[in-house]
Amino acid sequence: MGTPSKFVTFIRNAYLDSSQLAIKIREEKEEKGIFKDVTKVNPASLDLVFNPRTVALIGASENELKSGGMFLNSFIDCGLKSELFLVNPRGGEIRGLKVYPSVLDIPKEIDLAVIAIPASVTPKAVEDCSKKGAKFIVVHAAGFGEMGPEGKKIEEKMMQTARRGGSRIIGPNCMGIYCPETGFNTVVPYIGGLTEESGDVALVAQSGWVCEHVMLIGYERGLRFSKVLSIGNQSDLTFVDFLEYLGSDPKTNIISAYIEGVKKGRDLIDVAKKISRKKPIIIWKAGRTGAGTKAITSHTGSLAGDHTIHENAFKQAGIITAQGIEELLDLLIAFKSPYLPKGNKVGIIVGAGGAGVAAADACETLGLKVANLPEGTRLELKDLLRGVIPPFSGVSNPVDTVWLPLGQAPSIHPQMIETMSRAVDAFMIFSYEPYGENYLSVLAKTREKIKKPIVCVPPHPTKGLDTTPWTKRGLPVYPTPKRAARALSALAQRHVFLEKLKK
Amino acid sequence: MGTPSKFVTFIRNAYLDSSQLAIKIREEKEEKGIFKDVTKVNPASLDLVFNPRTVALIGASENELKSGGMFLNSFIDCGLKSELFLVNPRGGEIRGLKVYPSVLDIPKEIDLAVIAIPASVTPKAVEDCSKKGAKFIVVHAAGFGEMGPEGKKIEEKMMQTARRGGSRIIGPNCMGIYCPETGFNTVVPYIGGLTEESGDVALVAQSGWVCEHVMLIGYERGLRFSKVLSIGNQSDLTFVDFLEYLGSDPKTNIISAYIEGVKKGRDLIDVAKKISRKKPIIIWKAGRTGAGTKAITSHTGSLAGDHTIHENAFKQAGIITAQGIEELLDLLIAFKSPYLPKGNKVGIIVGAGGAGVAAADACETLGLKVANLPEGTRLELKDLLRGVIPPFSGVSNPVDTVWLPLGQAPSIHPQMIETMSRAVDAFMIFSYEPYGENYLSVLAKTREKIKKPIVCVPPHPTKGLDTTPWTKRGLPVYPTPKRAARALSALAQRHVFLEKLKK
C-alpha cells in the first residue's frame, strides 16, 4: 500500500485527536519516567498471561459465592495446568491445598496473581504481589476508576505500585481469563463443565458480561476459543497490547473485541492495520449514543470518544465492526468459512419462493448483488432439474427448487452449486433437507471444489438444531436470510480490503 | 382525528397512485360486470374459511409425499372438526374414508374445497367446485400468474369461472390454512403433533415459507395463533379482505402479515386505519430492493411497489413495520405485553455493567430515552440496595446490581422496579436469576402493580431456556438488549399513534 490518501489522513488525525484526557495525563507521566517500566510490554511475554507456570489466587476461599471460592472451584473443575498457590491471611488448607498467609510466603516465583478480594483491600494485595515480583496481576474487584476521579487516583497509584515491582496489571474491574488449553477460566467460573475444547477464536472485552455471553452462546453455535480476556478498566495493559499478542498467537485465527473506550488510539490503528492483513479483526465498539457513553463511564470509567470517527478509523485499518452481541457472534461464525467471496455476486438456492424474496432483499440491502445467471447457466440448471421439480419453475436467481423431494438435496444441490458457481462469488442455500452429517459433508465437499463461501439457512430453526458441526466445517448457518446476508457482506468486505492492500 | 394533514394527503395519494397495472385491469373488468359477484366479500362470511362445516379435499392421496396425501394426514392428525370428503377420480377408499370420483358426487354442500393437484388440471377442478357451489376454494398449485402473462390469463380465467358459481378463491400458489381451534392445518402439514393450542395472534402471508417459520419459531417462543393463512398470488381474495375479517375476529388480538405486493392499496390503508385503533397490525413488506422485487415477481407474480411509499402510508395507518422474520416475531412477542409505555423513558436494571452499556446504546439508537433518575429515586434505590450490593455502585440508570447474589432478584427487583417506575415508562431487566416460575410470577405481579411494560434479557440465553411461559404472561424475553429495545420502541410507537387518535 502506498501513502495514505488525504481522506485517510484526515480521518486518522481526527481519530488521534480524540485521544482521551486521562490517557494523555498518564502517558505524560510515563514520559516523565515516573514508572519503573515505561517501555511497551513485549507482546510475546503476554503468553504467560494465558499459560502461566505458577498462579497465585489471592483471596482463596471455601465459599463458592465469593469470587475467591468461585475461581478456585473453576481452577479445579477445568483442570488448571499451572501450579496453583492459594493465599488467605487465615492460612490453613482449602480443598486439600495449603493456604499461604501472604503471597510473599509462596516459595516459588509467581507468573500470574489473581486478586479476588474487595476493592478496599486490593491495593495492599497489589503491593505485595509487586514486591513478590509477580509478572502479571489480574485485579478482579470493581470500585476504582469507574467511580470517578477519586477511584481513578487509587487505580493509578495501584498501577504505579505494581510497575515498581515490574508487574503488569489486567483490570481492575474485570473477569480475567479463559484459556481452555491451559484449563484457565475465571470468566464463567460458575458454569460447571464448560468445554475444555480449544478453538481459534480470540475475544478481548472490557465487559465480563460480553465475554460470558459470547463464550456461552458462541459455544452453543459451534465456536471454540483460543483465548478470552476480560480487561475491565484497562488501567495498565490495554486492548492494543493484547491485540498485538493475538496477532502473533499461532493458536488464534480470528480476533474479536468489545471495547467501550479506546486507549492508545494511534497504536490501535497501527497495530490493527498490520494484523488485519493476516487475520480478521471484528470489533463491537459500544458508546454509539449519549446514554451508552454515560453508562460506559460508570462501567469501566472509559471515555467512549466519537463513534463515527471510530468507525471510519476502524474501517481504514481493516477492522470489521459489529453492532451488538448477536452480530458479533454472527460475524465470528462467518469467518469460520475458509474462503472469501471474490466479488459481491450471490447465488441463492431456495426451496420456497418467500425465502428467495427475503434473501434477495437482505443481500441487496447490504450492497451484495443477486447475480443474473447467464442464459447458458440457466439452461444447464433447467436440464439438471428436469423431472425433479415442476416444469414451470423459473430457474433464475434465486433458484427456486419448489417441492424438491426430501432426500434429493444432497445430490441435486452440489450440481446446482457447481453450475452456478461460474456466475457467482458466494452462496446462500436454503433447504428442507435435515441438517445431518450427510448433507453437511456433501456441501463441505462441494465448497472445497468451488472454493467459494457457502452460508446456509436451515428449514425451520428449532431449538433442537445443532449447528456446531456446521460452524466447525466452515459452513456458517443462520436462522434468517437477513443474518446470513450480513455474514456474506462481511466476508465480501474483507476480500475488498485484502485486495486493496495488494495495490 | 381531524382532517388529514397536507403531508398525509400527499403520501396517501402518492401511495394510491402506485396501484398496480394488473389490479387496475382486473378492477376495470369487475366494474364492467364480467364477474357474477362483483361486490366485496362480506368479511363475516370469511369465518367459514377457518371453520368450514364441510371440507372437500380434491386430489386426496395415499401418498404422503403428494400434497393431497400430506393434507389428508394433517386433517386426521390435527383432528379436523369439519366433515371431510375426499375426491379422486380413482374413487375407492383412503384410510377408511370413501373417495368420491368428483366433487360433484359429494352428497352435501361444500363450504371449503382444497384443491391439491398440479396446475395443469387445477382449472378443471375449480370449474367443478364452482358448479358444486363450494363457497371457498383453496388453490394450492403454483404455476399461474407468477409465471408471466400467460399464467396470469389462466389464473384470471380460473377466478372468473369460480365466481360464476359464487365461489371465492384463496391462492393460487399458497399453503392454505392453519386454525388450531378447528384442527385445520395445511400450512405445516408435515410436522406431526404441531400444537392444537389456540392463541390470539393472526398471520396472513403471501409466502408459505414465512407462515411456516413464523408458526414454528413463534410456537417455540411462546406465541399461539388464532389463524394463519397463506394467500399466495391473491388472485381473488386479498390480504385486505382477511385484514378486515381479522379486525372483527374476537379470537384475534394481534394481526401480522407478510406481503409482497399490495393489492387494493386504497382499501388497505382505510381498513388498517380502522382496525389499528383496536388491534396492533404488524407488517413485513418485502421488496425493498431491486432483486427482492424481481424475486417477488417470480414468486407470487405481485408488483412490489415503491417501498418508501408503502412505509409512509403504513405508518399513517398505524401499521408497525417489521424487517424480516426475526423482527416480525420479536414484535409479535412484544405486543403480548398488556401495557404500552406512556412515554419513551426506559428504566434499565442490569447485573453487569456491559449489559447496561449495550442496553443504553440500543435504546437511544431507537429514539428511546434512558431516563435520568431524580435524586429522590436514586437515594431510595441506594437505601434498598444497601448491604446487598457493593457500596460503590452508582445507582444511576442503568442501575447496576453488580454481584446481586442469586436468589435475591425475586425480592429486590420488584422493589427496584416499583421505586423506579415513578420516573420511567417501561423497563428492561437483565438478571442472573434462573428464569423459573418463581421469578416470572414475581415480575408479572410487579408489572400488574405498575401497569408498565417490562421486557427481559435472560442471563445467558441457552438453547434450553423455555421462554414460552414468559411470552404467555406478557413479559417478552429477548436474547439481546438490541432486540429488547426494538420491542420497547414498537410499543412506544403504538402508544404515540393511539394518543394522536384521541386528539
Side-chain angles (χ1 to χ4, degrees):
Chain A
M1 202 169 135
T3 48
S5 75
K6 248 187 177 172
F7 177 71
V8 176
T9 311
F10 167 76
I11 288 298
R12 217 178 128 182
N13 289 342
Y15 182 67
L16 299 178
D17 287 348
S18 79
S19 65
Q20 297 96 19
L21 190 62
I23 314 305
K24 221 179 134 205
I25 293 169
R26 209 192 73 209
E27 284 173 351
E28 277 167 10
K29 278 189 191 158
E30 283 182 356
E31 276 158 24
K32 285 180 204 146
I34 290 174
F35 301 123
K36 183 179 162 187
D37 171 18
V38 292
T39 57
K40 238 174 92 311
V41 68
N42 172 5
S45 76
L46 292 178
D47 205 45
L48 222 48
V49 170
F50 301 99
N51 193 16
R53 290 158 303 187
T54 49
V55 171
L57 176 59
I58 321 293
S61 166
E62 302 259 13
N63 184 349
E64 293 177 26
L65 292 177
K66 290 188 172 176
S67 1
M70 232 166 43
F71 293 167
L72 173 56
N73 257 356
S74 175
F75 288 152
I76 293 167
D77 288 354
C78 298
L80 178 68
K81 297 216 170 82
S82 325
E83 196 175 352
L84 180 63
F85 297 94
L86 307 186
V87 178
N88 191 313
R90 278 176 300 191
E93 223 179 59
I94 299 175
R95 296 187 65 174
L97 291 168
K98 178 180 164 60
V99 179
Y100 296 88
S102 158
V103 70
L104 295 164
D105 301 328
I106 297 174
K108 279 211 180 173
E109 254 189 66
I110 292 300
D111 285 340
L112 183 85
V114 178
I115 302 183
I117 54 180
S120 56
V121 281
T122 289
K124 172 68 175 74
V126 168
E127 201 183 324
D128 285 353
C129 288
S130 165
K131 274 187 200 155
K132 174 72 185 167
K135 289 173 196 67
F136 295 98
I137 307 173
V138 175
V139 182
H140 170 63
F144 293 100
E146 77 278 14
M147 297 307 297
E150 211 165 313
K152 205 163 203 73
K153 258 186 223 161
I154 301 172
E155 189 177 312
E156 290 204 3
K157 208 180 146 198
M158 190 167 73
M159 185 181 66
Q160 207 172 329
T161 311
R163 286 209 177 172
R164 272 200 204 102
S167 310
R168 303 298 301 247
I169 285 186
I170 295 151
N173 187 14
C174 77
M175 287 303 292
I177 298 152
Y178 167 66
C179 177
E181 200 187 1
T182 56
F184 205 139
N185 178 16
T186 57
V187 178
V188 282
Y190 50 90
I191 298 293
L194 186 81
T195 180
E196 287 173 35
E197 196 182 341
S198 284
D200 65 349
V201 176
L203 169 72
V204 183
Q206 282 190 258
S207 153
W209 181 83
V210 170
C211 285
E212 174 197 322
H213 275 64
V214 169
M215 277 170 64
L216 295 175
I217 312 176
Y219 184 77
E220 283 182 356
R221 294 180 65 189
L223 291 177
R224 297 297 179 264
F225 298 89
S226 53
K227 276 112 188 169
V228 173
L229 189 72
S230 155
I231 53 175
N233 296 7
Q234 307 182 73
S235 81
D236 180 14
L237 292 174
T238 69
F239 168 54
V240 181
D241 299 312
F242 287 101
L243 177 61
E244 202 160 5
Y245 164 70
L246 294 169
S248 310
D249 176 26
K251 303 286 170 71
T252 298
N253 293 320
I254 306 169
I255 301 172
S256 63
Y258 163 83
I259 49 182
E260 302 191 339
V262 176
K263 297 202 168 186
K264 300 183 183 166
R266 187 190 316 261
D267 294 349
L268 170 56
I269 295 306
D270 290 343
V271 169
K273 257 191 185 157
K274 264 182 267 165
I275 294 172
S276 60
R277 292 168 172 262
K278 300 174 293 176
K279 304 178 183 182
I281 305 171
I282 305 158
I283 296 185
W284 168 18
K285 166 75 181 71
R288 295 169 61 81
T289 65
T293 303
K294 206 177 126 196
I296 282 174
T297 310
S298 70
H299 179 223
T300 55
S302 299
L303 293 164
D306 183 287
H307 195 71
T308 316
I309 292 173
H310 282 138
E311 289 224 327
N312 287 330
F314 281 9
K315 202 175 172 189
Q316 300 298 331
I319 295 169
I320 293 138
T321 52
Q323 281 175 30
I325 208 154
E326 204 157 58
E327 192 171 283
L328 183 67
L329 282 160
D330 283 351
L331 297 186
L332 282 173
I333 288 164
F335 280 98
K336 292 299 292 173
S337 165
Y339 302 107
L340 297 175
K342 294 207 168 69
N344 68 350
K345 295 198 297 294
V346 181
I348 301 168
I349 297 175
V350 296
V357 174
D361 256 0
C363 284
E364 297 226 334
T365 301
L366 291 163
L368 299 166
K369 282 283 155 218
V370 179
N372 278 318
L373 301 181
E375 181 69 10
T377 308
R378 279 197 285 122
L379 288 176
E380 244 178 273
L381 281 176
K382 232 183 158 71
D383 267 355
L384 202 61
L385 293 165
R386 201 182 304 281
V388 181
I389 64 168
F392 54 77
S393 288
V395 295
S396 65
N397 194 16
V399 183
D400 186 358
T401 64
V402 241
W403 289 108
L404 184 68
L406 270 190
Q408 297 227 17
S411 61
I412 297 285
H413 279 182
Q415 299 179 63
M416 292 178 70
I417 292 169
E418 284 186 51
T419 304
M420 290 169 74
S421 78
R422 293 197 307 268
V424 307
D425 305 303
F427 284 91
M428 194 190 298
I429 312 286
F430 297 67
S431 170
Y432 282 99
E433 202 62 32
Y435 265 37
E437 177 53 34
N438 179 32
Y439 186 49
L440 166 60
S441 77
V442 159
L443 278 193
K445 263 180 222 156
T446 308
R447 198 261 324 271
E448 284 318 299
K449 269 194 198 170
I450 61 164
K451 303 201 183 303
K452 292 176 179 184
I454 298 177
V455 301
C456 302
V457 182
H460 28 79
T462 58
K463 283 179 189 168
L465 179 66
D466 181 13
T467 57
T468 296
W470 292 73
T471 304
K472 288 187 174 179
R473 293 282 277 272
L475 285 165
V477 174
Y478 297 96
T480 70
K482 201 171 158 186
R483 287 165 65 182
R486 176 69 187 102
L488 285 181
S489 79
L491 294 179
Q493 177 193 334
R494 177 139 178 86
H495 173 76
V496 170
F497 172 76
L498 293 177
E499 282 304 298
K500 266 191 197 154
L501 287 184
K502 288 185 191 163
K503 280 169 198 161
Chain B
M1 201 169 136
T3 48
S5 75
K6 250 188 177 171
F7 177 72
V8 177
T9 312
F10 166 77
I11 289 298
R12 216 177 129 183
N13 289 344
Y15 182 65
L16 299 177
D17 287 348
S18 78
S19 65
Q20 298 96 18
L21 190 64
I23 315 305
K24 221 179 135 205
I25 291 168
R26 208 192 75 210
E27 282 173 355
E28 275 166 12
K29 279 189 190 158
E30 283 182 355
E31 275 159 26
K32 285 180 204 148
I34 290 174
F35 301 123
K36 185 180 163 186
D37 170 20
V38 293
T39 57
K40 238 174 91 315
V41 68
N42 172 5
S45 76
L46 292 179
D47 206 43
L48 221 48
V49 170
F50 301 97
N51 194 15
R53 291 158 302 187
T54 49
V55 171
L57 176 59
I58 321 292
S61 166
E62 302 258 15
N63 184 349
E64 292 177 26
L65 293 178
K66 290 186 172 179
S67 2
M70 231 166 42
F71 293 166
L72 173 55
N73 256 357
S74 175
F75 288 152
I76 293 168
D77 288 354
C78 298
L80 178 69
K81 298 215 169 79
S82 324
E83 196 174 352
L84 180 62
F85 297 95
L86 307 186
V87 178
N88 190 313
R90 278 177 300 190
E93 221 178 60
I94 300 175
R95 297 187 66 173
L97 291 168
K98 178 180 164 59
V99 179
Y100 296 87
S102 159
V103 70
L104 296 163
D105 300 329
I106 297 173
K108 279 211 178 170
E109 254 189 65
I110 292 301
D111 286 341
L112 183 87
V114 177
I115 302 184
I117 53 180
S120 55
V121 280
T122 289
K124 174 67 174 72
V126 168
E127 202 183 324
D128 286 353
C129 288
S130 165
K131 274 187 196 151
K132 174 72 185 168
K135 289 176 195 65
F136 295 98
I137 307 174
V138 175
V139 181
H140 170 62
F144 294 99
E146 77 278 14
M147 296 307 298
E150 211 165 312
K152 205 160 204 75
K153 258 187 223 161
I154 302 172
E155 188 176 313
E156 290 205 2
K157 210 180 145 198
M158 190 168 73
M159 184 180 68
Q160 208 172 327
T161 312
R163 286 208 176 172
R164 273 202 202 100
S167 310
R168 303 297 301 249
I169 285 186
I170 294 151
N173 187 16
C174 78
M175 287 303 293
I177 299 151
Y178 167 68
C179 177
E181 200 186 2
T182 57
F184 204 140
N185 178 15
T186 58
V187 178
V188 281
Y190 51 89
I191 299 292
L194 186 81
T195 180
E196 286 173 34
E197 195 181 341
S198 284
D200 65 349
V201 176
L203 169 72
V204 183
Q206 283 190 256
S207 154
W209 179 83
V210 170
C211 286
E212 175 199 320
H213 275 63
V214 170
M215 277 169 64
L216 294 175
I217 311 177
Y219 184 78
E220 282 183 355
R221 294 180 63 188
L223 291 177
R224 297 295 179 266
F225 298 89
S226 54
K227 276 113 188 167
V228 173
L229 190 72
S230 155
I231 54 174
N233 295 7
Q234 307 182 75
S235 82
D236 179 15
L237 293 173
T238 70
F239 169 54
V240 181
D241 298 313
F242 287 102
L243 178 62
E244 203 159 6
Y245 164 71
L246 293 168
S248 309
D249 176 28
K251 303 286 170 72
T252 298
N253 292 321
I254 307 169
I255 301 173
S256 63
Y258 163 84
I259 49 181
E260 301 190 340
V262 176
K263 297 203 167 186
K264 301 181 183 167
R266 188 189 315 261
D267 294 350
L268 170 56
I269 296 305
D270 290 344
V271 170
K273 256 191 185 156
K274 265 182 267 165
I275 294 171
S276 61
R277 291 166 172 266
K278 301 174 293 176
K279 303 179 184 182
I281 305 172
I282 305 158
I283 296 185
W284 169 18
K285 165 76 181 70
R288 295 170 61 80
T289 64
T293 304
K294 207 178 125 195
I296 282 174
T297 310
S298 69
H299 179 221
T300 56
S302 299
L303 292 164
D306 183 287
H307 195 72
T308 317
I309 292 173
H310 282 137
E311 289 224 326
N312 287 330
F314 281 8
K315 201 175 173 188
Q316 300 299 330
I319 295 169
I320 294 139
T321 53
Q323 280 174 31
I325 208 153
E326 203 157 60
E327 191 172 283
L328 183 68
L329 281 160
D330 283 351
L331 297 185
L332 282 172
I333 288 164
F335 281 98
K336 292 299 293 173
S337 165
Y339 303 106
L340 297 175
K342 293 206 169 70
N344 67 351
K345 295 198 297 295
V346 181
I348 301 168
I349 297 175
V350 295
V357 174
D361 257 358
C363 284
E364 297 226 334
T365 301
L366 290 164
L368 299 167
K369 283 282 154 219
V370 179
N372 278 319
L373 301 181
E375 181 69 11
T377 308
R378 279 196 285 123
L379 288 176
E380 245 178 89
L381 280 177
K382 233 184 156 70
D383 268 356
L384 202 61
L385 292 166
R386 201 182 304 282
V388 180
I389 65 169
F392 54 78
S393 289
V395 296
S396 67
N397 195 16
V399 183
D400 185 358
T401 64
V402 241
W403 289 109
L404 185 68
L406 270 191
Q408 297 228 17
S411 61
I412 297 284
H413 279 183
Q415 298 178 65
M416 293 177 71
I417 292 169
E418 284 185 50
T419 304
M420 290 168 74
S421 78
R422 293 198 306 269
V424 307
D425 305 302
F427 284 91
M428 193 189 301
I429 312 286
F430 296 67
S431 171
Y432 282 99
E433 201 62 32
Y435 265 37
E437 178 52 34
N438 179 33
Y439 186 49
L440 165 60
S441 77
V442 159
L443 278 193
K445 264 180 220 155
T446 308
R447 198 260 326 270
E448 284 319 299
K449 270 193 195 168
I450 61 165
K451 302 201 184 303
K452 292 177 181 184
I454 298 177
V455 301
C456 301
V457 182
H460 28 81
T462 59
K463 284 181 189 168
L465 179 67
D466 181 13
T467 57
T468 296
W470 293 73
T471 304
K472 288 186 172 178
R473 291 284 276 273
L475 285 166
V477 174
Y478 297 96
T480 70
K482 201 171 160 185
R483 287 164 66 182
R486 176 69 187 103
L488 286 181
S489 78
L491 294 179
Q493 178 193 335
R494 177 140 179 86
H495 172 76
V496 170
F497 172 77
L498 293 177
E499 283 304 297
K500 267 191 195 153
L501 288 183
K502 288 184 189 161
K503 279 171 198 162

